[in-house]
Amino acid sequence: MIINKFSENIYYSDFVRETDRPVLGYIRGDKFSVMIDAGNSQDHMEEFLREIERMNLEMPKYCVITHHHWDHSFGMEFFKGETIVSRKTNDKLEYLKKLKWDKESVLKRLETGEEIEFAYNAMVVEYENFDDIKVSTGDIIFEDKLILDLGNDLCHIVLVGGPHEEDSSLIYLEKEKVLFAGDAHSGDYYHNEGKIDGEKMKGYIGNLEAIDFNTYILGHDNPIEKETIMMLLKKLI
Ligand SMILES: [Zn+2]
């Protein structure tokens, strides 16, 4: 795994298309450090933390989850600190936890349309054995927003919803002016065949406009500047 250094305090991993592994973030704080998203499996979580250790960075105390989707949350069980989720995300994780995750049950949900083929195909590559799938709920639950004081910066976590999922949260650093977006602006693959709802996108753009950031770090792509992402998103309305 490659972890990219954005600044002295901000790092982000690469993403993997084949297994749908998203970008994982690391924010170094003077008081404590924070990880963004838990990854799609034990392996994903542990590979990230091994690399953090190799880079002589302190283990993160908290792991903030951008939204409940498997690729961002299935590593939660294997995080050593505490996980932070919105209540909306936690409700969805509670539901996922009740489901059976053996291959046959997932295939059944694929037939009924509850699961999507893209996710299943990536799970098959990530998991040799579906019995290894563990779904976990959060330790610290916030309603709409939460601010973590890292000592050297304030880390804002804001539930915004948007076109991808109703439980998407944005995480941004006030001084660094870096925003971790997860998949928040993407289409809705679970309820709308990957399409973008124009009204939800308008609301989402409004949320972004109100935040003072320079760099936008995506869940499954390379980071981009604010000006570029705003231009791209406006075209998608
Ligand atoms: Zn997602």
Side-chain angles (χ1 to χ4, degrees), residues 67 69 72 164 183:
H67 65 303
H69 283 170
H72 300 256
H164 184 61
D183 303 346

Side-chain angles (χ1 to χ4, degrees), residues 20 22 66-72 164-165 167-168 182-184 186-187 189-190 220:
D20 206 25
T66 58
H67 65 303
H68 73 284
H69 283 170
W70 79 282
D71 47 324
H72 300 256
H164 184 61
E165 272 291 352
D167 70 313
S168 290
D183 303 346
S186 305
Y189 292 88
Y190 279 89
H220 299 270

Side-chain angles (χ1 to χ4, degrees), residues 62 84 123 172 186 188:
Y62 299 112
I84 301 179
M123 279 179 203
Y172 66 94
S186 305
D188 183 346

Side-chain angles (χ1 to χ4, degrees), residues 41-57:
S41 65
Q42 180 169 12
D43 285 351
H44 194 198
M45 167 65 77
E46 287 174 357
E47 278 173 37
F48 181 81
L49 293 179
R50 258 203 305 279
E51 196 57 21
I52 288 294
E53 197 173 19
R54 202 189 59 77
M55 294 168 87
N56 289 320
L57 291 164

